[in-house]
Amino acid sequence: MGTGNFFWVIFYFASLCSASLANNAKINFREKEKKVLDQILGAGKYDARIRPSGINGTDGAAVVSVNIFVRSISKIDDVTMEYSVQLTFREQWTDERLKFDDIQGRLKYLTLTEANRVWMPDLFFSNEKEGHFHNIIMPNVYIRIFPNGSVLYSIRISLTLACPMNLKLYPLDRQICSLRMASYGWTTNDLVFLWKEGDPVQVVKNLHLPRFTLEKFLTDYCNSKTNTGEYSCLKVDLLFKREFSYYLIQIYIPCCMLVIVSWVSFWLDQGAVPARVSLGVTTLLTMATQTSGINASLPPVSYTKAIDVWTGVCLTFVFGALLEFALVNYASRSDMHKENMKKKRRDLEQASIDAASDLLDTDSNATFAMKPLVRHPGDPLALEKLRQCEVHMQAPKRPNCCKTWLSKFPTRQCSRSKRIDVISRITFPLVFALFNLVYWSTYLFREEEDETF
C-alpha cells in the first residue's frame, strides 16, 4: 500500500470518529438534561410538600415575587358589579434544593409543564367569582428552573372578579376595581408575596373598552389578619373612567328634546284641546318609558344617582306642562263664564235704556224733552261720551321702546288663560336652564373632587 493511500485511510477514520463524537456529544447533552431532572426531582430526593427556605438559606419566610400582564378586559357590568379580565400571571421564588450544574452555560434553564412536580405557593384571588385555565391547544402553563435554584411559574388565566361600585355620580363617575391575591394557608412567617421590582403590572397597549377608559393602575399591599394569623396579600387597583359621550347621545339629549317638545303646547291655541292633551300625554309616556329603560340597566341601589336626578326633573317638567294646560283650560272656562255674565249685564242695561228712550218718544207730543246739559253722576251715556272726549283730547306721546316691548306681555285686561300661557313660555325655559346650570356645575365639580382623591 502506498504512503498516499495510507494517509487517506487515516483521514477517513479520523473524520468518522469526530462525527461520532459530535453526535455522542449532542445526545449526551440532551441526556444530561434528563439526568439533571432525575437528579433534582427524583423519588426520595425532592418533596414538593416542604416549602423552600428563606433568603440565603435562612429559616425565614419564603419570598415570592409576583408580576402580571393584563391581556384584555372584556366587560365591566354595572348590574352584577363585576368585571372580566384575562391575564398572564407569573410568580418567581428561589428553592435551593433545585440547584444544578449548567454545564458551562449550556443549560440556561429546565422547563416543566407539571406544576405538581415542585413546591408551589398557595396563592388565590380573594375577590374571584369565576375563573378558568386555558388548555387550547396545550395547557398555557410552564415552569422554568434556573441553575441557581430560581423557579419561574407562568400561566394564562381568565377571571371574573367582584367590583363593588359607588353609582352616586353615574354616569359621570369613576370606578376602582381591584385584583386581590393572597396566601390561603401559609402565614407571613412562612410565605411573603412581594411585587416584582421595576414594572410589576403591564397592560396591553391596544386595550379598548366599550364604555370605560382605563386611566391608571396602582399596586399596593393588603395583608389581612384573622384569628389564624396574618396572611400576605397583593392588590392592583384599576381606575376606570366611564365614557360620557354614549349617555349624552342616548339619554341626556333625548330627554332635553322631550322637555322642549312639551313646551310646544304653550304656543297652541287654548281651544285646541285634543292637540294639547295628546302632546302632553305622549311626551309624558315617552319620558316615563325612557326612565324605566334607564333603571332597568342599573342595580336597584338605595341612594339617588345623578341620572335619577336628571330623569326625575325632566319628568317633572313634562308633567308640569300637562298640568299647565289643565290650569289654562280651567282659567279659560272661568273667563268665558265671566264674559257671559258681563254680556248679560250689558244686554239688561241696553234693554233698560231702550225702554226709557221709547217712553220719551211717546211723550214728545205732550212734553218737550230736553236732554240735560249738566252730567249727572249716575248717567251711563254721559260717562261714555266723556270718556271718548278725554281720549280724543289726549296729546300724542312719543313711542317708548320699553313700553312697546312690555306691551307684548299679558296685562290685567287680558284673559287669565292667555296670561298663564305667556308666563309659562318664559318661566319653563328659564327654570330648566337654571336647573342645567346647577346640575352640571354640581356633578362635574364633584367628579373633579373625586379625581383628586
Side-chain angles (χ1 to χ4, degrees):
M1 181 181 294
T3 307
N5 293 332
F6 180 77
F7 174 78
W8 284 111
V9 170
I10 294 175
F11 179 77
Y12 176 76
F13 280 107
S15 61
L16 288 177
C17 291
S18 62
S20 63
L21 288 174
N23 292 331
N24 290 333
K26 290 182 180 179
I27 296 174
N28 290 338
F29 177 72
R30 295 306 174 194
E31 289 290 333
K32 188 64 176 177
E33 290 185 4
K34 179 180 179 301
K35 289 181 180 180
V36 170
L37 288 174
D38 293 338
Q39 180 182 356
I40 61 177
L41 298 176
K45 295 182 180 180
Y46 184 86
D47 193 346
R49 298 173 298 177
I50 308 299
R51 72 169 180 86
S53 58
I55 300 176
N56 298 325
T58 60
D59 196 24
V63 179
V64 178
S65 300
V66 176
N67 72 306
I68 60 176
F69 175 68
V70 179
R71 292 182 174 271
S72 65
I73 300 176
S74 58
K75 68 172 183 177
I76 301 175
D77 198 338
D78 299 319
V79 178
T80 57
M81 292 192 178
E82 63 185 20
Y83 72 104
S84 299
V85 61
Q86 182 186 128
L87 52 88
T88 298
F89 176 75
R90 303 186 187 97
E91 294 176 309
Q92 192 166 6
W93 66 94
T94 301
D95 193 343
E96 295 186 354
R97 296 173 294 174
L98 300 177
K99 288 183 177 180
F100 62 89
D101 184 13
D102 60 354
I103 313 177
Q104 299 178 355
R106 293 185 178 181
L107 286 178
K108 295 183 178 180
Y109 53 81
L110 303 174
T111 302
L112 298 176
T113 56
E114 300 175 0
N116 57 357
R117 297 288 301 276
V118 298
W119 176 87
M120 294 291 299
D122 60 343
L123 181 141
F124 76 105
F125 296 92
S126 58
N127 60 334
E128 173 200 355
K129 286 187 174 182
E130 294 179 359
H132 67 273
F133 302 127
H134 293 266
N135 297 319
I136 299 175
I137 299 174
M138 293 293 292
N140 299 163
V141 58
Y142 68 80
I143 298 174
R144 291 178 181 175
I145 303 175
F146 294 88
N148 62 349
S150 178
V151 182
L152 174 63
Y153 174 72
S154 178
I155 188 171
R156 186 167 72 99
I157 53 179
S158 292
L159 300 169
T160 300
L161 305 167
C163 178
M165 299 182 182
N166 186 356
L167 300 174
K168 289 184 177 180
L169 299 180
Y170 177 89
L172 300 168
D173 57 337
R174 285 178 168 84
Q175 301 297 336
I176 298 178
C177 295
S178 299
L179 174 65
R180 295 174 177 267
M181 302 162 286
S183 173
Y184 189 80
W186 299 97
T187 63
T188 52
N189 296 326
D190 299 317
L191 179 63
V192 174
F193 291 111
L194 297 176
W195 285 114
K196 186 177 180 180
E197 296 181 358
D199 194 5
V201 179
Q202 299 172 343
V203 180
V204 67
K205 293 182 180 179
N206 57 347
L207 179 64
H208 296 289
L209 297 173
R211 291 184 300 167
F212 288 89
T213 301
L214 179 61
E215 287 194 331
K216 60 181 178 180
F217 52 88
L218 302 172
T219 58
D220 201 358
Y221 297 91
C222 55
N223 292 2
S224 59
K225 290 184 179 180
T226 64
N227 55 1
T228 58
E230 182 179 359
Y231 299 90
S232 182
C233 176
L234 303 176
K235 74 171 181 176
V236 183
D237 290 332
L238 305 172
L239 179 60
F240 296 102
K241 180 183 178 182
R242 197 182 301 272
E243 290 291 342
F244 181 68
S245 58
Y246 168 80
Y247 301 94
L248 180 65
I249 297 173
Q250 297 294 328
I251 296 176
Y252 284 90
I253 293 179
C255 289
C256 282
M257 294 172 66
L258 286 174
V259 172
I260 294 172
V261 167
S262 67
W263 298 342
V264 175
S265 63
F266 304 153
W267 301 86
L268 297 179
D269 187 70
Q270 305 165 11
V273 176
R276 298 187 69 163
V277 170
S278 60
L279 180 63
V281 172
T282 303
T283 53
L284 182 62
L285 292 178
T286 307
M287 191 67 217
T289 304
Q290 181 88 348
T291 303
S292 62
I294 295 169
N295 293 330
S297 62
L298 293 174
V301 294
S302 59
Y303 48 82
T304 303
K305 304 179 288 294
I307 195 67
D308 295 335
V309 176
W310 175 263
T311 55
V313 172
C314 290
L315 188 62
T316 304
F317 270 93
V318 175
F319 184 67
L322 185 60
L323 291 182
E324 188 269 349
F325 170 66
L327 183 61
V328 167
N329 192 19
Y330 172 78
S332 177
R333 287 187 285 109
S334 178
D335 292 339
M336 190 178 297
H337 178 70
K338 289 182 179 179
E339 192 68 26
N340 292 334
M341 295 298 294
K342 289 181 179 178
K343 188 176 180 181
K344 289 181 180 179
R345 270 197 217 109
R346 289 197 206 99
D347 293 340
L348 291 174
E349 290 177 357
Q350 187 66 29
S352 62
I353 293 172
D354 292 340
S357 62
D358 291 340
L359 290 174
L360 290 174
D361 291 338
T362 54
D363 296 340
S364 59
N365 296 327
T367 307
F368 179 77
M370 180 180 289
K371 295 181 180 181
L373 298 177
V374 181
R375 177 176 61 86
H376 296 285
D379 191 356
L381 295 175
L383 288 175
E384 183 65 23
K385 291 181 179 180
L386 181 61
R387 194 175 293 114
Q388 292 176 359
C389 293
E390 290 175 355
V391 170
H392 289 291
M393 292 175 63
Q394 287 180 355
K397 295 182 179 179
R398 294 181 180 179
N400 193 337
C401 297
C402 294
K403 289 184 178 181
T404 304
W405 182 76
L406 290 174
S407 64
K408 299 179 181 179
F409 293 92
T411 59
R412 293 182 180 179
Q413 297 177 358
C414 296
S415 61
R416 289 187 300 171
S417 58
K418 184 65 176 178
R419 205 181 313 160
I420 293 171
D421 268 343
V422 177
I423 292 175
S424 299
R425 295 173 190 172
I426 303 169
T427 306
F428 273 72
L430 286 179
V431 175
F432 189 68
L434 180 62
F435 161 71
N436 274 270
L437 179 63
V438 174
Y439 179 87
W440 295 113
S441 60
T442 300
Y443 284 103
L444 291 177
F445 182 70
R446 284 188 184 181
E447 183 185 7
E448 293 177 357
E449 282 186 349
D450 293 342
E451 187 177 0
T452 56
F453 289 106

